[in-house]
Amino acid sequence: MLSISSGRGLHSRRNFLQIGSLALGGLSLPQLLATQALAANQKLRPVTGKSVIFLFLHGGPSQIETFDPKMNAPAENRSVTGEIATSLAGITYGSTFPQLAARAHQTSIVRSFHTGDGNHDIKPVVGKTTLGANMGSLFARVAGTNDPQTGMPLNALLFPRAVDPQAGPAVESFGKFDSTGGLGSAYSPFVPGGGGSLQKDMQLTLDPARIDDRRALLSGLDRIRRDLDARGGLTGADRFQEQALQTILGGAATAFDLAHEDAKTIAAYDTAPLVRPEQISRKWNNYPRYVDNAKTLGKLLLLARRLCEAGCGFVTVTTNFVWDMHADVNNATMQEGLQYVGRPFDHAVSAFIDDCEARGLSDDILLVATGEMGRTPRINKNGGRDHWGGLAPLLLYGGGLARGQVVGHSSRDAGQPASEPIATENLLATVMHTLLDIGQVRLMSGLPQDLLSVLTTPQPIAGLR
């Protein structure tokens, strides 16, 4: 990470400016911009100009208590939270989601989506379908690493610490969200506020009075470059150092700072008041993650919207491992857990929808919300649901896709698709067809054959385009 601060402590206004992830042997921001310039000179950038926000619901949300309540099923199968009518005739959601229910005509849900297994990992955003790379890294390999006009990274990754330095560390024991598979570190997502082994070495502290002193700034960047050289990192050309500086201090950089957002908008997204530590039963070992989820989810979606407006193409958002509701020593029951996790989700996604509608962004940004799996059709003896790969909830909004659709249907117990299954490769295709002109992608030279295959072979989700 490269940060510029005023030296006045962790919470200084300028400490927000943490752009880019860097690992030993990785590329610096100037080098990433150099890579982007090379891509721009190829003339062929098969992008649509749209963006995707992938909200990963880590832990495996229940398909039943979210968007497929099954209230006519036996008591051990039906939603433990009941159901609520939506704005679509005859369609109900779990009762934890009243705001989304009122906006069902603006979104689409898939009731026949399955992820294939009940393993805790980070599919479909990173998995076999994506060649072991973050979906955004696949996009960046085709489109370049940075927007050629603004310098904004085209692929970003937001953990809770992107908006709250006091939030817990990212949970990556089930997979690395910044994985690039075999694509190379140049295509790794940018992780604002994400820490990393070299973050301390990438801090440039300047007095505010000298922030316009170009010589001092470039000298600081040179110091960072020398530190990387000593560690075996790669160096960037002077021209791209200057471009990196302009990106950091220019208009693109302000997208990372919510202080530039209207106070009323920030308040509309704020999910922190919905769940407080004293409200949570302390017997669940994972309760601190529930608090982090509530504190940060709304602001993470707001930050993601800002990045997309500034030119970012793909943003992964996750609030850590919170949707795992076994009702055991670590995790809450379905009934209780959805109060901690479902209510902030309902509020944050609804605020995002309203915000995009007001800004005229509904065709420009696609929001995808899903997890790595669903939950067992049968409630367990403690009031929880266990791992299940047969079905998983999937919600989509925007991106020019059809609205108010319910794609597919499930078996009576919501355990299996009862219509044509929608798989992770179909979701990947839907995302990539939103971001890229696939016809032009087929004409590009120099793309690895396996990458070309996963981008161009699967079909998007039928009924949404």
Side-chain angles (χ1 to χ4, degrees), residues 400-425:
L401 300 185
R403 295 167 170 243
Q405 303 299 302
V406 178
V407 177
H409 56 277
S410 62
S411 59
R412 184 168 180 263
D413 66 354
Q416 301 292 336
S419 59
E420 184 68 23
I422 302 299
T424 53
E425 54 261 33

Side-chain angles (χ1 to χ4, degrees), residues 50-57 125-126 134-137 139-140 152-159 162-163 177 188-192 255-256 297 299-318 352 364-369 431-432 435:
K50 297 184 179 184
S51 302
V52 171
I53 298 171
F54 198 112
L55 175 54
F56 185 74
L57 309 180
V125 70
V126 181
N134 185 289
M135 272 194 192
S137 298
F139 169 65
M152 172 61 66
L154 290 186
N155 180 21
L157 169 58
L158 304 182
F159 293 118
V163 295
F177 285 93
S188 181
F190 280 74
V191 189
F256 291 86
L297 179 57
K299 289 182 180 179
L300 285 172
L301 281 182
L302 174 56
L303 178 56
R305 187 267 288 163
R306 288 179 58 83
L307 298 188
C308 290
E309 280 189 304
C312 189
F314 190 95
V315 185
T316 306
V317 175
T318 182
F352 177 85
D364 299 324
I365 302 176
L366 169 63
L367 174 69
V368 176
V431 167
M432 292 304 163
L435 293 170

Side-chain angles (χ1 to χ4, degrees), residues 275-341:
V275 179
R276 299 186 183 280
E278 63 271 14
Q279 299 172 324
I280 298 177
S281 171
R282 296 299 178 103
K283 67 181 179 182
W284 315 114
N285 290 341
N286 282 342
Y287 87 89
R289 296 176 186 166
Y290 301 146
V291 177
D292 279 354
N293 175 78
K295 287 171 60 180
T296 62
L297 179 57
K299 289 182 180 179
L300 285 172
L301 281 182
L302 174 56
L303 178 56
R305 187 267 288 163
R306 288 179 58 83
L307 298 188
C308 290
E309 280 189 304
C312 189
F314 190 95
V315 185
T316 306
V317 175
T318 182
T319 59
N320 289 329
F321 190 64
V322 294
W323 289 87
D324 200 28
M325 298 178 191
H326 292 284
D328 58 13
V329 66
N330 293 316
N331 308 284
T333 65
M334 293 302 307
Q335 182 82 46
E336 185 176 353
L338 281 166
Q339 297 304 306
Y340 307 149
V341 179

Side-chain angles (χ1 to χ4, degrees), residues 180-198:
T180 62
L183 298 178
S185 60
Y187 304 103
S188 181
F190 280 74
V191 189
S197 58
L198 288 184

Side-chain angles (χ1 to χ4, degrees), residues 99 262-271 298 302 347-348 350-352 354-355:
Q99 295 185 63
D262 182 85
K264 291 183 179 179
T265 303
I266 296 174
Y269 273 91
D270 190 11
T271 48
L302 174 56
H347 183 97
S350 297
F352 177 85
D354 292 348
D355 192 21

Side-chain angles (χ1 to χ4, degrees), residues 69-86:
K70 296 295 184 188
M71 295 310 293
N72 292 325
E76 62 269 20
N77 300 121
R78 70 181 67 144
S79 170
V80 300
T81 59
E83 65 181 344
I84 188 171
T86 74

